[in-house]
Amino acid sequence: MSSREAQEKAYSYDLDLVCVAPQAQPPVCKILDYGKYRFERQKKAKEAKRNQKVTEVKALRLSPVIDIGDFETKVKQVTKWISEGNKVKIDMRFRGRMMTRQDVGKKVMDNFITALSEVATVDKQPNLEGNTLSCVLSPIRK
């Protein structure tokens, strides 16, 4: 079928010549109803958007002088957030004389990360920014 015949066929059925892949060599075109084509494309885009999962970043603050009970409570809370599929940012702020004992804070942070090693991986290693030690944990991919 020549291009002239294809155009006449398109006009007789109220169809359009639509270029579906202009970057291809040679460009790919189809004869179809453009309104229906556009509607189907929008419908697919809406469906893809609906099926997206937005990950939220939850924040948790630790202290270098945290007690065992508080530590375990925070581990349980972070485990719950991770199981829901959220990322968790853990901050430890050093205030006053605590700045001289950063090694204690790093040890607490390492213990926290090891307690969560079964459910989370470390995205951003703990590092000191100003007076805050922070790291980011995310769920382990299955």
Side-chain angles (χ1 to χ4, degrees):
M1 178 187 306
S2 70
S3 64
R4 178 82 180 142
E5 290 171 350
Q7 283 180 342
E8 287 175 6
K9 184 179 178 186
Y11 289 135
S12 65
Y13 291 108
D14 229 8
L15 299 175
D16 302 305
L17 186 64
V18 179
C19 194
V20 289
Q23 297 85 6
Q25 210 49 291
V28 178
C29 296
K30 285 185 177 180
I31 297 175
L32 46 84
D33 182 4
Y34 183 70
K36 185 176 179 182
Y37 171 74
R38 196 177 74 202
F39 173 75
E40 292 293 328
R41 222 174 45 198
Q42 287 173 346
K43 196 172 168 184
K44 283 181 187 175
K46 278 184 185 177
E47 187 67 30
K49 188 175 180 182
R50 186 180 315 135
N51 292 337
Q52 279 183 347
K53 178 139 181 20
V54 177
T55 58
E56 193 175 338
V57 178
K58 300 280 191 171
L60 181 88
R61 184 172 293 164
L62 288 177
S63 170
V65 289
I66 192 168
D67 198 29
I68 301 265
D70 294 334
F71 183 86
E72 290 172 357
T73 303
K74 290 189 186 247
V75 167
K76 285 180 189 174
Q77 184 64 50
V78 170
T79 306
K80 181 180 157 197
W81 288 340
I82 294 283
S83 66
E84 291 172 359
N86 297 318
K87 289 187 173 189
V88 180
K89 182 178 184 207
I90 302 167
D91 290 329
M92 181 177 295
R93 188 166 290 155
F94 296 100
R95 306 170 83 200
R97 291 186 194 151
M98 290 184 214
M99 281 299 283
T100 59
R101 302 295 307 268
Q102 291 177 9
D103 55 328
V104 174
K106 287 183 182 181
K107 199 178 291 184
V108 170
M109 183 74 81
D110 290 337
N111 289 342
F112 199 78
I113 290 171
T114 4
L116 294 165
S117 63
E118 294 177 10
V119 292
T121 58
V122 180
D123 275 357
K124 183 181 142 208
Q125 289 294 328
N127 65 330
L128 193 66
E129 300 163 357
N131 64 345
T132 305
L133 182 69
S134 63
C135 74
V136 177
L137 302 175
S138 64
I140 293 178
R141 301 204 194 287
K142 295 171 182 153

